C-alpha cells in the first residue's frame, strides 16, 4: 500500500470501477464474438431492450457466456441467467431455451419477463472471468489463462468465460455472484479467498472494484464497511444516498436497512492515473483514469 491511497498495491485503487446495475442478464452466445457482442445482427433487438430498461430506471447489463464454459446445455438449447438485486445480493433465475427462440427470449427477459421454462441448477455459485480477446488482448490472454486454471477447481462453483466488463487495465477481471462484486488483478489464490470468504480483507480490498448494486461513488464506503465488519456485510440490505456538491465531489451516505454500520463521507477524485486504451500494448500519457477517494468523513 502506498501513501497516496489506502488500497493501490497495483498502482491504482480499483474501487469505483464496477458498473451500477439492477439486473444482469447472462446469455450463452456462440463464438467468435465481435468487439461488441451487440454488433451481432441477431442481438440488435437486445440492445434496444437494454435502452428501455435504462429508461424505466432498471439499468441492466447483458453479458455473453461462452457456451458450455460453466455448465453444459443440452443440444439445441442455450442458457439464460438473470441476476436481480434484492437489496443485499442478487437473486438468480435461469432457463434453458430452444435456440430458435433464444433472441426473443433474451429480449423478453431484459424487458422484465421471467426466464421460462425455469431451470434449477442447484446450490451453486457463479464466478465470471472476462476473456473477451476481440475487445482487449489483456483480457483475452490473462483472463483465459486464469479461466483454464479455475474451470474445474470447485464442485459448487460454475466458472464462466464472459464478454468484456470494462476495467481492462485491471485484467484479469471478473464478477462474483450472488454478491455482484467486480474484481480486478485476479489470480488463483485471490479467487480461492473470494469463493471461500477467507484471507485478509484489507489485502483482498486491493482487488475489489466495487458492488454493482451501488452507485460508483458509494462503492468505496461499501468496501470500507466490508473490510471493517467482515463477509456478513455482503448479506445485509443497504442503500446509498448521493448528493453532488460539484463536478468532482459528492456527499455519500451508506446505510444498512437494519443494524449498525451507517457512514457518510465526501467522495471525489483523489488523483488521475495513467491508463491504456483497449488493445493498447503500452501506456498512453494522454489517457488517464480518475481514482475515487474519501476526501473527508462526515
Amino acid at each position: 500500500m502506498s501513501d497516496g491511497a489506502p488500497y493501490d498495491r497495483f498502482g491504482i485503487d480499483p474501487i469505483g470501477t464496477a458498473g451500477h446495475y439492477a439486473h444482469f442478464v447472462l446469455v450463452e452466445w456462440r463464438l467468435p464474438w465481435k468487439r461488441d457482442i451487440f454488433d451481432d445482427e441477431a442481438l440488435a433487438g437486445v440492445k434496444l431492450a437494454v435502452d428501455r430498461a435504462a429508461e424505466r430506471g432498471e439499468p441492466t447489463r447483458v453479458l455473453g457466456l461462452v457456451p458450455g464454459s460453466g455448465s453444459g446445455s443440452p443440444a439445441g438449447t442455450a442458457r439464460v441467467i438473470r441476476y436481480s438485486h434484492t437489496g443485499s445480493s442478487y437473486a438468480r433465475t435461469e432457463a434453458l431455451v430452444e435456440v430458435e427462440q433464444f433472441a426473443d427470449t433474451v429480449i423478453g427477459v431484459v424487458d422484465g419477463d421471467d426466464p421460462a421454462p425455469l431451470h434449477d441448477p442447484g446450490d451453486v455459485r457463479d464466478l465470471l472471468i472476462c476473456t473477451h480477446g476481440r475487445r482487449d488482448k489483456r483480457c483475452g490472454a490473462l483472463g483465459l489463462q486464469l479461466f483454464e486454471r479455475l474451470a474445474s477447481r470447485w464442485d459448487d462453483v460454475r466458472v464462466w468465460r464472459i464478454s468484456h466488463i470494462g476495467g481492462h487495465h485491471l485484467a484479469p477481471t471478473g464478477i462474483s455472484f450472488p454478491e455482484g462484486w467486480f474484481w480486478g488483478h485476479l489470480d488463483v489464490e485471490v479467487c480461492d479467498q473470494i469463493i471461500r470468504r477467507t484471507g485478509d480483507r484489507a489485502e483482498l480490498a486491493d482487488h475489489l472494484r466495487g458492488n454493482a448494486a451501488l452507485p460508483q461513488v458509494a462503492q468505496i464506503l461499501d468496501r470500507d464497511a466490508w473490510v471493517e465488519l467482515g463477509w456478513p456485510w455482503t448479506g445485509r440490505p443497504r442503500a446509498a444516498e448521493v448528493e453532488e456538491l460539484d463536478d468532482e465531489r459528492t456527499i455519500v451516505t451508506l446505510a444498512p436497512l437494519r443494524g449498525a454500520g451507517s457512514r457518510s463521507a465526501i467522495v471525489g477524485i483523489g488523483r488521475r492515473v495513467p491508463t491504456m486504451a483497449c488493445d493498447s500494448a503500452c501506456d498512453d500519457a494522454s489517457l488517464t483514469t480518475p481514482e475515487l477517494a474519501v476526501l473527508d468523513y462526515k
Side-chain angles (χ1 to χ4, degrees):
M1 298 182 188
S2 78
D3 295 335
Y7 308 107
D8 66 351
R9 184 173 12 145
F10 303 99
I12 179 174
D13 186 349
I15 199 64
T17 63
H20 175 33
Y21 306 103
H23 309 280
F24 288 83
V25 178
L26 316 177
V27 299
E28 283 190 306
W29 195 249
R30 61 185 178 272
L31 293 174
W33 292 333
K34 297 180 181 295
R35 190 175 189 277
D36 186 331
I37 63 170
F38 292 123
D39 288 340
D40 192 310
E41 184 177 351
L43 294 179
V46 176
K47 176 62 168 65
L48 297 176
V50 170
D51 293 342
R52 290 192 295 271
E55 290 172 359
R56 65 175 182 267
E58 296 185 11
T60 300
R61 184 69 181 267
V62 178
L63 294 171
L65 303 173
V66 173
S69 60
S71 181
S73 299
T77 68
R79 194 174 304 263
V80 179
I81 305 170
R82 181 172 67 190
Y83 273 102
S84 296
H85 189 242
T86 62
S88 55
S89 57
Y90 286 81
R92 179 181 60 207
T93 52
E94 187 166 329
L96 295 172
V97 181
E98 298 294 330
V99 171
E100 294 78 7
Q101 304 169 352
F102 190 73
D104 289 340
T105 298
V106 173
I107 291 170
V109 171
V110 176
D111 278 333
D113 296 341
D114 285 331
L118 293 179
H119 170 70
D120 182 5
D123 187 18
V124 297
R125 297 166 62 191
D126 290 306
L127 179 64
L128 283 52
I129 304 296
C130 178
T131 63
H132 197 164
R134 183 69 64 88
R135 181 64 173 266
D136 181 76
K137 294 177 181 178
R138 285 170 51 83
C139 296
L142 300 178
L144 183 57
Q145 292 171 16
L146 179 62
F147 168 80
E148 290 174 345
R149 297 184 66 187
L150 296 177
S152 302
R153 190 169 184 84
W154 308 284
D155 293 335
D156 55 349
V157 179
R158 299 184 296 188
V159 184
W160 298 92
R161 293 177 57 190
I162 62 165
S163 57
H164 196 55
I165 61 173
H168 57 278
H169 56 293
L170 304 172
T173 63
I175 312 174
S176 62
F177 282 108
E179 300 90 356
W181 283 16
F182 281 55
W183 303 89
H185 295 300
L186 292 173
D187 58 30
V188 173
E189 180 182 358
V190 168
C191 290
D192 266 329
Q193 293 175 0
I194 292 168
I195 293 301
R196 297 304 175 215
R197 300 189 167 192
T198 59
D200 186 330
R201 292 187 301 279
E203 292 290 327
L204 276 182
D206 289 336
H207 302 267
L208 181 56
R209 298 178 55 192
N211 176 356
L214 295 171
Q216 290 175 312
V217 291
Q219 292 170 6
I220 191 167
L221 295 188
D222 193 60
R223 180 183 65 179
D224 288 350
W226 167 67
V227 170
E228 176 186 338
L229 301 174
W231 284 100
W233 176 257
T234 64
R236 295 181 62 182
R238 55 204 186 276
E241 295 182 1
V242 299
E243 177 187 348
E244 290 188 5
L245 292 176
D246 52 41
D247 290 342
E248 294 191 353
R249 298 182 305 151
T250 304
I251 298 177
V252 180
T253 300
L254 179 67
L257 302 184
R258 60 176 184 270
S262 294
R263 53 200 66 211
S264 183
I266 297 176
V267 175
I269 297 175
R271 59 179 182 169
R272 297 182 183 275
V273 296
T275 185
M276 63 181 70
C278 285
D279 295 329
S280 174
C282 60
D283 290 341
D284 180 343
S286 67
L287 297 175
T288 61
T289 296
E291 183 182 76
L292 290 180
V294 172
L295 305 180
D296 188 23
Y297 284 98
K298 301 288 287 181

